[in-house]
Amino acid sequence: MQLRSLFAAVALAATTFTANAAEELVVYSARIDELIKPVFDAYTEKTGVKISFIADKEAPLLARLQAEGENTPADMLITVDAGNLWQAAQQGVLEPLNSAVIAKNIPAQYRATDGSWTGLSLRARTLAYSPERIKEGELSTYEGLADKHLEGRVCLRTSQKVYNQSLTATMIKTLGEEKTEAVIKGWVNNLATDVFADDTALLMAIDAGQCDVGLVNTYYYGRLAKQNPNVKVKLFWPNQADRGVHVNLSGAGVTKHAPHKAEAIKLLEWMTTPEAQRLFADLNQEYPANESVEASAEVQSWGTFKPDTINVEVAGQLQPEAIKLMDRAGWK
Ligand code: FE
């Protein structure tokens, strides 16, 4: 009898210990399952810490974090685009960190100034074109997409997409509002057809001859080229003589009310190390945010370029101005 209650007490203590230790972290992810699961599996194998994740769109995940408040089970938020990460930080759902590991591994222009999020992988939003119909010298800069010789030849994705809002925001910061608006009006005037719902449809329109040039994120090109190695589309790196190519990111932050904050910070720090960076970037054919890590051979085959080094926080800060400007310019 006594022995049995001793066992019961030991069992209870063990249960309590398990519940307190962070043997399982919860991640809310706007990055789809197949692009993050291998990274988490590698972490679990290394540390024994299990990670469960809920993958959904950005907006519902943010709404959920807001609604759950202090009771959230989420330790980390993973999402794409500095514009989205900035919004999450503004809504107060991320915890500002002061991590020497992250500061050492990730360049400052790809992190929040207050440490509330960090970029993990990079993508360029660049020009994609038809090598059959675009002649040498016809492409130069983002601004050049507004030139007369491209009339009726340009494709754009909808201005509702944060990728285009972020690109516009960085242009406002660099070129000023007036110049940016004139450029974007020029893009809209040069449209070959209605705006597209996604980058892949835009790339396929170039391949099919519906238009000659457009703006896309590099990994969409990578995906399509992998499926169809004969795709008649190439990437062009604009603004190499001045500010460089617009680079954005996917990234993550530890949540404000993370139940396992210390463990979540460890996971995020690990995600910035070379080991995790290679995996995280390669899964989506992106560029590692940690500059000591090389991109995959496939990504490197697209060529090298000078990136715009503007702090990507601008994408969030100037997002309202960007949306208004795109609307004024008639970008649907
Ligand atoms: Fe995307």
Side-chain angles (χ1 to χ4, degrees):
M1 199 57 187
Q2 257 182 346
L3 201 57
R4 262 167 73 171
S5 39
L6 180 64
F7 276 140
V10 169
L12 183 67
T15 310
T16 312
F17 177 75
T18 307
N20 287 338
E23 290 189 341
E24 182 154 348
L25 291 173
V26 176
V27 174
Y28 284 2
S29 174
R31 200 164 142 126
I32 60 172
D33 302 32
E34 63 197 64
L35 299 185
I36 50 165
K37 191 168 183 303
V39 179
F40 292 154
D41 286 349
Y43 190 72
T44 302
E45 193 165 314
K46 190 184 165 80
T47 62
V49 175
K50 291 199 186 71
I51 301 165
S52 65
F53 57 94
I54 292 165
D56 204 340
K57 298 258 187 231
E58 167 74 20
L61 287 179
L62 266 186
R64 189 163 171 167
L65 276 173
Q66 285 277 23
E68 288 167 347
E70 290 178 16
N71 299 317
T72 188
D75 296 294
M76 183 185 286
L77 173 71
I78 296 183
T79 187
V80 295
D81 204 284
N84 286 337
L85 286 157
W86 193 86
Q87 287 296 341
Q90 285 298 106
Q91 290 179 26
V93 298
L94 299 178
E95 174 77 3
L97 307 179
N98 187 2
S99 163
V101 175
I102 296 172
K104 177 178 153 283
N105 286 337
I106 308 294
Q109 74 263 28
Y110 303 130
R111 290 185 268 120
T113 309
D114 72 352
S116 57
W117 52 266
T118 179
L120 293 170
S121 59
L122 310 177
R123 64 281 296 280
R125 190 154 188 79
T126 194
L127 273 55
Y129 71 98
S130 158
E132 291 172 345
R133 298 182 302 280
I134 290 282
K135 308 259 172 344
E136 180 92 38
E138 283 198 295
L139 303 180
S140 55
T141 60
Y142 291 102
E143 298 85 290
L145 283 185
D147 290 350
K148 189 80 184 151
H149 71 276
L150 292 177
E151 194 175 344
R153 301 171 71 190
V154 174
C155 274
L156 291 174
R157 183 178 184 162
T158 169
S159 65
Q160 312 279 312
K161 186 66 191 181
V162 70
Y163 304 154
N164 284 332
Q165 295 165 3
S166 293
L167 170 64
T168 303
T170 60
M171 285 170 65
I172 291 174
K173 182 75 179 179
T174 307
L175 304 174
E177 200 152 311
E178 208 175 312
K179 167 93 172 133
T180 304
E181 188 167 339
V183 167
I184 288 181
K185 274 186 178 145
W187 293 359
V188 172
N189 283 335
N190 280 348
L191 281 178
T193 181
D194 289 346
V195 295
F196 289 89
D198 60 79
D199 283 17
T200 303
L202 192 160
L203 284 162
M204 288 167 77
I206 297 174
D207 185 50
Q210 207 178 351
C211 52
D212 298 344
V213 61
L215 291 167
V216 295
N217 282 359
T218 40
Y219 57 90
Y220 290 110
Y221 174 78
R223 276 181 211 168
L224 192 64
K226 202 171 198 172
Q227 273 171 22
N228 175 11
N230 299 319
V231 68
K232 296 183 294 295
V233 181
K234 285 204 151 116
L235 295 177
F236 179 87
W237 309 115
N239 298 78
Q240 294 304 281
D242 48 61
R243 68 182 181 278
V245 178
H246 172 62
V247 170
N248 211 307
L249 48 84
S250 72
V254 170
T255 59
K256 187 90 192 164
H257 302 292
H260 313 99
K261 201 163 278 174
E263 286 295 330
I265 295 170
K266 274 190 211 160
L267 170 62
L268 187 59
E269 287 179 335
W270 176 78
M271 289 171 89
T272 68
T273 63
E275 181 186 5
Q277 279 284 295
R278 189 158 292 122
L279 199 52
F280 193 86
D282 289 1
L283 281 165
N284 193 33
Q285 298 191 58
E286 290 184 85
Y287 300 86
N290 181 329
E291 287 175 329
S292 75
V293 182
E294 282 196 345
S296 70
E298 199 151 15
V299 170
Q300 284 192 48
S301 75
W302 305 336
T304 55
F305 60 89
K306 173 184 161 186
D308 190 347
T309 55
I310 195 170
N311 193 312
V312 290
E313 263 185 323
V314 163
Q317 285 157 357
L318 295 180
Q319 190 183 79
E321 284 79 1
I323 292 170
K324 276 181 254 165
L325 187 151
M326 293 160 107
D327 185 52
R328 284 199 303 275
W331 189 348
K332 298 270 192 296

